[in-house]
Amino acid sequence: MKTIAFFLANLLFITNAVCQKSPVKWGKVSKEDLTMTEYKADPEAGAMVLGEVGQITFDVSTGEILYKLEYHKRIKIFKKSAFDQGDIEIPYYTPNKFETIKGLKAQVILPDGKKIAVKKIFDEKINDYWSAKKFAFPNLKEGCIIEFKYNKNSNGYFNLEDWYFQGDIPVRLSQLSTVIPEWYNYVSFTQGRRANVTKSSRPTNIRIPGERLHERITYDRTHSNTTHQSFDLIEADLITTVYKMENIPALKVEPHITSMNDYYAKIQFQLKTVQYPGGPIQNVENTWEKVEKELIEHQKFGDQLNKKRFTKKLWTALEPILSEIQNKEEQIASIYKFISSNVIWDETYHFLIEKTLDDAFTNKRANSGELNLMLIAICRQAGIEAHPVLISTRSHGKMLPYYPKIDQFNHVLALTQIDGKNHIFDIGNSLRSYDLLRENSLNYNGWLVLPNRSDWISIVPPVDKEVCMANFELSPGGALVGEIKQSYKGYSAFKERMACYKDPENNNLKKSWTDKYVDIKIDSIQFENQKDLTNPFKTNIYCKIPDAVQTSGDFMYITPVLNAYEENPFKLEKREYAIDMAYGFKNQYILNLTIPDGYIIEELPEAVNLSLPEKGGKFQFFISQKGNKIQLVNKINISQLHYEPEEYPAIKSFYDIIIEKHSEQIVLKKAT
């Protein structure tokens, strides 16, 4: 959603806007751009943005406030790997024609200068709120240039269009101009590198209904509803602001992020105050108090939670189950289990209800928010305190607590309170235990919606735990015979249960070991607690690994960490943006190895006890010997989830050391 309420509904606008001359002209491409074969600053880039230009102006002609975005983008394609840059999707918000797309044009300019217009443009409905213009550029070739432009008219003047200066390919020029009457004061929020900003103003005669303007200013004092048709010309300054960036590097995707949109350089705008000629300053900035009230009273949110008629069928199904349970925590667990087992998540995220909660229950399909709102509604009917927590999923982007903008959310969690203790739930999969939220929901915090007490709360994920114990005997011929016992708790347990569910023959599990040890012979695989979600999920693998040991003359070389890290997840030498892990983890690997008679230990890897700064993580690697027994204990703990770019070298080095230690070998020598 754009906003729930729009607060300046009847103002009129400017008749003339001052347009800036665009630095990118439609269809006019220089010879240098047409013949360019690579971007010198990033020769590996498959494509680059030659120019992305936008201008926001306030428009007139109706009695509503609109702003218009004139948008033009031009991309140079260097390699086939970048042909996906030619798949375009332009979303727009549809209720009551809140946004419209007009004047959409697109064309390919081939290396020989020939131009091919895009003729097939589709208008696709995404859901009840959003649609998108979609098209694909035809006849793409290496060296071609693609460009498209359009005008977007929007009623969303409270929050102007977000502008991204940066993306996944290099950008030569990105420029946004805003032309705004002096009456409207916007605050801006920037992310990443800052643009060069220039401002100018010029007086302009703006035609507005003069008496209606006065009426608007004094409405709160007089409550007048008189309609006037006279018009005045009023001189006002138009403030032109140009935000410009040049030669912006691409941000390459690395592991452990939320959404890349959280890291690209961008700017956002929010209307703060309005002051008309001769009138007082009106503070129109949205507040969380306003958002709270709107949500609690909203037919597709608060009404559904508080009015029993919307959950009559669901309550009829659950009431007999709950009447047999006295403990509130057990009641919540039963509600969670019932909903997750009887209603399928439709793979979409939302915090509003499409029709009613009973409709979703009857259809056995629901969006993400409907599932959790069902739990809240039934908990309230059962006498359990429960409230919604609005969030933005990791893939949707980070939230801004100081920015009361409703469309920064796309999901809602359920919070219950028993004896002053909070529990947060996120229904969506019957194999995920109720103490685990979706991994995509782990985005640091959420907004708890409570009448007159709404506030931001932290969402602290549980620590994931994995334990692997390998008990093996080494034969004189160099084969390892024994068992691998693994225990999973948390998100790793959920993933392993899902793997078993999707692959009952265990082909993928077997393949994960045969990829490491081609000749491995797996005698049997056993599982524990596949359906008991309250206990760790366990696997026992009984096997023989003939090729686990290298032999050379009288020597045997054993790589003792069977589940070793094979490569560093952090590959860049320098990372331009933060690391955001979803959850912390504790991994422990223990090897108990019996060496064959007639061999002695020639060399053991050295011990390591390494910590990240500020106790953000720890790596311990210890190996000991007692007679013909060797024990290796390897522990990796990560507790810090967020790392700024300047902390990146430490975490990268941390994993480099782990990988190095995991590759070290035990050396045995035949006794003489």
Side-chain angles (χ1 to χ4, degrees):
M1 293 180 65
K2 283 290 180 183
T3 61
I4 292 181
F6 303 102
F7 43 82
L8 297 174
N10 297 313
L11 300 179
L12 293 169
F13 327 84
I14 312 171
T15 52
N16 295 299
V18 179
C19 294
Q20 295 293 300
K21 189 175 291 186
S22 175
V24 181
K25 301 295 183 183
W26 178 258
K28 294 185 178 180
V29 178
S30 68
K31 183 179 179 181
E32 291 76 15
D33 285 350
L34 205 55
T35 58
M36 181 170 36
T37 57
E38 68 176 25
Y39 181 46
K40 291 182 179 180
D42 186 359
E44 298 300 316
M48 70 173 294
V49 177
L50 298 175
E52 185 173 24
V53 179
Q55 180 167 255
I56 290 175
T57 58
F58 281 68
D59 201 359
V60 294
S61 70
T62 71
E64 298 177 348
I65 295 183
L66 298 172
Y67 78 81
K68 180 169 70 175
L69 169 68
E70 298 178 59
Y71 181 87
H72 185 188
K73 187 173 187 178
R74 179 177 292 166
I75 301 172
K76 174 76 176 185
I77 306 292
F78 297 119
K79 302 176 182 178
K80 289 182 180 179
S81 59
F83 281 4
D84 60 350
Q85 294 291 331
D87 298 327
I88 307 299
E89 180 174 336
I90 307 166
Y92 63 101
Y93 192 68
T94 53
N96 300 317
K97 296 185 178 179
F98 186 77
E99 292 182 339
T100 58
I101 304 291
K102 297 182 178 180
L104 176 56
K105 295 171 60 178
Q107 66 178 0
V108 179
I109 305 175
L110 297 176
D112 61 4
K114 181 182 178 181
K115 297 175 182 177
I116 303 173
V118 175
K119 295 181 179 179
K120 293 183 179 180
I121 297 176
F122 304 94
D123 200 334
E124 181 178 307
K125 181 179 179 180
I126 299 172
N127 53 42
D128 288 344
Y129 304 98
W130 291 92
S131 292
K133 300 287 187 182
K134 292 185 176 183
F135 61 91
F137 285 95
N139 303 106
L140 295 184
K141 295 182 179 180
E142 292 178 337
C144 73
I145 290 173
I146 59 177
E147 65 177 344
F148 63 99
K149 68 176 184 177
Y150 61 86
N151 295 332
K152 177 190 283 187
N153 293 330
S154 175
N155 283 283
Y157 52 87
F158 181 80
N159 302 109
L160 302 181
E161 187 89 358
D162 294 348
W163 187 263
Y164 288 86
F165 297 94
Q166 195 170 28
D168 59 352
I169 59 175
V171 179
R172 186 170 68 185
L173 170 68
S174 180
Q175 178 179 297
L176 173 68
S177 304
T178 61
V179 183
I180 301 174
E182 60 177 301
W183 306 329
Y184 307 116
N185 175 31
Y186 283 86
V187 292
S188 61
F189 305 91
T190 59
Q191 173 180 284
R193 60 174 64 196
R194 294 181 179 270
N196 294 320
V197 181
T198 58
K199 286 191 175 185
S200 61
S201 66
R202 56 167 288 184
T204 302
N205 287 330
I206 301 175
R207 186 178 297 278
I208 59 173
E211 294 184 38
R212 175 176 267 183
L213 170 63
H214 177 74
E215 174 188 316
R216 177 67 189 183
I217 294 170
T218 59
Y219 177 79
D220 292 334
R221 297 193 297 272
T222 65
H223 298 283
S224 168
N225 59 2
T226 306
T227 301
H228 299 276
Q229 297 298 325
S230 61
F231 289 80
D232 293 332
L233 281 175
I234 294 180
E235 185 177 275
D237 283 341
L238 290 182
I239 311 300
T240 298
T241 309
V242 180
Y243 305 87
K244 183 178 180 180
M245 285 192 192
E246 295 180 284
N247 302 318
I248 312 150
L251 282 189
K252 301 182 187 300
V253 177
E254 278 272 286
H256 302 302
I257 62 170
T258 50
S259 162
M260 284 303 297
N261 289 341
D262 288 335
Y263 312 104
Y264 296 141
K266 70 176 180 181
I267 189 167
Q268 298 171 283
F269 303 90
Q270 181 178 354
L271 185 61
K272 184 175 183 180
T273 61
V274 176
Q275 184 178 24
Y276 294 103
I281 295 177
Q282 302 176 49
N283 188 349
V284 296
E285 190 172 22
N286 207 7
T287 66
W288 287 117
E289 290 76 16
K290 293 178 184 177
V291 176
E292 172 198 294
K293 184 176 185 296
E294 297 280 350
L295 281 169
I296 290 173
E297 297 175 355
H298 201 282
Q299 186 179 5
K300 294 190 175 184
F301 193 84
D303 265 8
Q304 301 268 334
L305 301 178
N306 299 320
K307 296 179 180 178
K308 294 180 181 180
R309 70 175 185 270
F310 294 121
T311 52
K312 187 176 180 180
K313 294 178 182 177
L314 184 59
W315 175 252
T316 299
L318 271 162
E319 195 273 337
I321 299 172
L322 299 178
S323 64
E324 300 294 323
I325 305 170
Q326 300 302 316
N327 182 278
K328 288 186 177 181
E329 290 188 7
E330 292 180 8
Q331 285 184 330
I332 295 170
S334 295
I335 297 169
Y336 181 99
K337 183 178 180 181
F338 180 87
I339 297 173
S340 63
S341 299
N342 287 278
V343 186
I344 298 171
W345 179 38
D346 66 5
E347 304 293 327
T348 66
Y349 286 99
H350 215 303
F351 60 87
L352 292 181
I353 297 156
E354 292 291 332
K355 294 181 180 177
T356 71
L357 290 177
D358 261 351
D359 283 329
F361 173 62
T362 301
N363 294 332
K364 306 300 181 186
R365 290 178 65 84
N367 66 39
S368 65
E370 288 170 333
L371 290 166
N372 293 320
L373 293 173
M374 284 182 195
L375 186 144
I376 295 170
I378 296 302
C379 280
R380 288 182 177 182
Q381 290 193 52
I384 301 168
E385 186 173 351
H387 305 285
V389 179
L390 289 175
I391 69 162
S392 170
T393 58
R394 293 172 63 84
S395 59
H396 188 250
K398 293 178 182 176
M399 293 157 283
L400 301 175
Y402 51 84
Y403 196 31
K405 182 181 178 186
I406 196 67
D407 68 352
Q408 66 179 304
F409 302 115
N410 72 322
H411 183 36
V412 62
L413 308 175
L415 179 143
T416 65
Q417 191 173 72
I418 300 175
D419 298 327
K421 187 176 180 181
N422 293 336
H423 304 266
I424 302 178
F425 302 93
D426 191 13
I427 299 175
N429 191 302
S430 60
L431 292 177
R432 175 164 44 82
S433 60
Y434 65 83
D435 59 334
L436 294 179
L437 308 183
R438 288 175 174 82
E439 186 174 336
N440 200 18
S441 296
L442 302 178
N443 207 3
Y444 297 105
N445 52 32
W447 190 56
L448 174 63
V449 183
L450 269 170
N452 303 313
R453 291 186 292 144
S454 295
D455 201 1
W456 288 90
I457 62 170
S458 296
I459 295 175
V460 181
V463 176
D464 194 76
K465 295 180 181 179
E466 292 186 33
V467 178
C468 178
M469 180 173 287
N471 300 314
F472 280 98
E473 290 187 4
L474 178 61
S475 72
L480 290 176
V481 181
E483 63 179 357
I484 302 168
K485 295 183 175 182
Q486 293 175 287
S487 174
Y488 305 91
K489 185 177 181 180
Y491 289 97
S492 58
F494 169 57
K495 292 173 183 177
E496 292 298 321
R497 287 188 175 102
M498 283 296 296
C500 285
Y501 174 76
K502 293 179 178 179
D503 180 25
E505 300 298 322
N506 305 312
N507 292 322
N508 289 330
L509 178 59
K510 293 173 183 176
K511 185 177 184 301
S512 68
W513 285 103
T514 56
D515 285 346
K516 291 182 178 181
Y517 304 102
V518 176
D519 296 328
I520 189 172
K521 292 179 174 59
I522 297 176
D523 296 326
S524 67
I525 300 175
Q526 298 175 358
F527 299 105
E528 293 181 38
N529 303 324
Q530 282 181 273
K531 296 183 179 180
D532 179 5
L533 307 187
T534 60
N535 286 305
F537 177 78
K538 296 181 179 181
T539 65
N540 295 332
I541 301 173
Y542 299 89
C543 62
K544 179 179 181 180
I545 310 177
D547 57 345
V549 176
Q550 300 174 8
T551 58
S552 178
D554 293 338
F555 293 92
M556 285 188 181
Y557 302 88
I558 310 160
T559 304
V561 184
L562 300 181
N563 61 349
Y565 280 50
E566 296 181 350
E567 61 179 17
N568 195 328
F570 304 106
K571 297 177 174 60
L572 298 178
E573 288 303 314
K574 181 180 179 182
R575 181 154 164 157
E576 299 290 339
Y577 52 92
I579 294 170
D580 285 292
M581 299 185 183
Y583 52 85
F585 61 85
K586 293 182 178 180
N587 290 353
Q588 183 173 347
Y589 170 81
I590 300 170
L591 171 68
N592 294 308
L593 178 65
T594 302
I595 64 175
D597 293 336
Y599 279 85
I600 60 172
I601 296 171
E602 177 76 5
E603 184 178 340
L604 293 176
E606 292 184 3
V608 167
N609 191 356
L610 175 68
S611 294
L612 282 168
E614 307 299 326
K615 299 181 180 180
K618 197 167 188 177
F619 171 50
Q620 295 174 301
F621 185 95
F622 299 111
I623 192 164
S624 59
Q625 172 201 3
K626 188 175 181 179
N628 68 336
K629 308 286 187 182
I630 296 174
Q631 184 177 71
L632 168 67
V633 178
N634 176 88
K635 296 181 180 180
I636 305 170
N637 299 343
I638 294 291
S639 55
Q640 181 177 327
L641 305 184
H642 180 85
Y643 296 82
E644 291 295 331
E646 56 268 23
E647 298 175 289
Y648 177 72
I651 187 77
K652 183 178 186 301
S653 175
F654 181 80
Y655 276 91
D656 281 339
I657 293 170
I658 292 173
I659 291 165
E660 181 181 350
K661 293 304 295 183
H662 283 188
S663 66
E664 291 183 0
Q665 295 180 318
I666 297 170
V667 181
L668 304 180
K669 183 180 180 182
K670 187 178 290 186
T672 55

